[in-house]
Amino acid sequence: MKLLAACSPGEVRVAAHDGTGLVDFALWRPGAPDGVGDLHRGRIAARVPAMAGAFVRLDSGTDGFLPDSEGGAGLPEGSGLGVRISRAAQGGKGPRLTARLSDAERDLIGTGKPALLRRGPGTVERLAALHPEAPVLLDDPGMAARLRPALGDRIALVAAAFDDAVAAEVAALAEPVVDLPGGARLSVHPTPALTAIDVDLGSASAAQAAKGRAQMAANRGLLPALARQIRLRNLSGAILVDLGGMAAARRAKLAPDLAAALAADPARPRLLGFTALGLAEILRPRVHPPLHELLAGPHAAGLAALRTALEALLAHPGQRAPALRCTPAIAGALQADGVALDDWRRRAGAPISLRPDPSLPALAWVLEESP
């Protein structure tokens, strides 16, 4: 197993790879971290008895939700307290908090206005803890220096963390359709309430003699790939899976195989059963934002533009740094990042010129020559 950390301005793509394929994948944006594990001194802004909890004002001016079951019971509005983010903001909802802190964390809280007291571990550190024997291969000296105090000799500097095969595997995670060996495919459809996954067997069972047995065998064979995609894409919350071809009443026979395929996932997803329509119900804990949310919006588009621009610049040494013509939303997201543009300047040796253009389509950007 190796941890591969491909660094670009404002973003690190982190892949755990076992030599045959991806095992884990996650994005880290140091200028806009998801906040999980961050320790805050907060203040209760409003109690919400109907939700059995309270909203807690954090230093950023945003509110997180603290359930009464996580140490918020009985505290009146205006109370100061220490909290840790246990679930990132996602799906249009703010972060989830806990007030169940260690003694060392309580010692840091003190008194005063809301403040961020300590950042939680970044994505590279989190995956390094999940795969403690894996070396960490990084392709940016600056990031290697930043992480070396935490990861020590596990870090090795390489020219490129991703080869073409790994880059292609990572790029495929952004696509809604997954082609599987034998002609089957998965279609992944996130919605605000749940994620629906449709299984199309295609020609996967065409050569089999008995249709029922063939469909059972084909579905059973693709369950490890299904569980792998759920893990790699960090699909969370309610997940419904429509298996291919089989009658609804027969699908429950695959429950032990599906539960076994999910068992390797450290997030511990649970197979709840099958609905009357034959849909497999999976519940996977929400902690970090799912990949499809991280890849959407102006911030993601801006970071993709910086990565493309830097790759083009490094491929032609001596070339002048380009300008980035983009929508105002993309320009604003990059300027609010706090790390990305400075990271670009450090790696490119010159700033990149942002040219906001309201006439561009949403999330569009173009690299242009600098004057």
Side-chain angles (χ1 to χ4, degrees), residues 25-353:
F25 178 75
L27 294 177
W28 181 34
R29 293 166 178 169
D34 66 22
V36 174
D38 288 358
L39 182 66
H40 288 259
R41 181 170 58 242
R43 189 172 303 280
I44 294 183
R47 293 210 58 83
V48 191
M51 297 174 63
F55 288 105
V56 177
R57 183 62 45 85
L58 305 178
D59 72 306
S60 58
T62 60
D63 290 343
F65 183 71
L66 174 66
D68 287 342
S69 60
E70 290 297 321
L75 295 175
E77 293 182 7
S79 299
L81 76 167
V83 291
R84 185 183 347 101
I85 295 179
S86 58
R87 189 182 78 185
Q90 53 191 286
K93 298 179 180 179
R96 181 70 63 91
L97 310 174
T98 179
R100 299 184 183 280
L101 308 180
S102 68
D103 291 340
E105 289 172 326
R106 290 190 185 91
D107 289 342
L108 297 176
I109 301 305
T111 59
K113 63 182 181 180
L116 171 62
L117 303 176
R118 188 180 68 192
R119 282 284 184 198
T123 301
V124 179
E125 296 166 89
R126 176 166 58 85
L127 289 187
L130 188 61
H131 303 283
E133 304 301 321
V136 181
L137 308 185
L138 280 152
D139 54 16
D140 174 40
M143 186 57 67
R146 173 174 177 169
L147 292 173
R148 198 172 295 281
L151 299 178
D153 294 340
R154 293 180 63 182
I155 291 181
L157 195 61
V158 296
F162 289 0
D163 60 19
D164 290 344
V166 173
E169 285 187 85
V170 168
L173 296 177
E175 301 299 325
V177 176
V178 184
D179 291 319
L180 301 177
R185 68 178 185 177
L186 308 176
S187 297
V188 182
H189 303 281
T191 76
L194 55 85
T195 299
I197 302 178
D198 178 64
V199 177
D200 181 0
L201 294 181
S203 61
S205 61
Q208 304 292 331
K211 182 178 179 181
R213 290 198 301 271
Q215 290 174 340
M216 178 71 76
N219 278 295
R220 181 178 286 115
L222 60 78
L223 294 180
L226 168 67
R228 179 172 176 267
Q229 288 296 320
I230 290 173
R231 177 174 175 176
L232 289 174
R233 296 165 184 255
N234 193 30
L235 302 177
S236 305
I239 303 170
L240 294 183
V241 182
D242 186 9
L243 296 172
M246 298 170 57
R250 299 186 67 238
R251 296 182 181 189
K253 294 181 179 180
L254 289 172
D257 301 278
L258 180 51
L262 295 169
D265 188 337
R268 298 183 179 179
R270 291 185 292 140
L271 174 62
L272 302 182
F274 286 78
T275 70
L277 294 175
L279 304 178
E281 291 184 291
I282 298 170
L283 184 63
R284 191 169 184 269
R286 296 181 185 269
V287 179
H288 300 276
L291 184 60
H292 60 264
E293 285 191 13
L294 293 175
L295 294 178
H299 189 219
L303 293 176
L306 293 185
R307 181 170 67 248
T308 302
L310 185 63
E311 289 171 351
L313 187 63
L314 296 179
H316 301 88
Q319 181 175 296
R320 185 177 299 174
L324 175 60
R325 183 162 63 91
C326 58
T327 63
I330 290 176
L334 290 177
Q335 289 165 340
D337 181 287
V339 168
L341 296 179
D342 288 342
D343 204 5
W344 164 275
R345 185 182 296 107
R346 174 181 64 83
R347 300 192 65 177
I352 189 169
S353 174

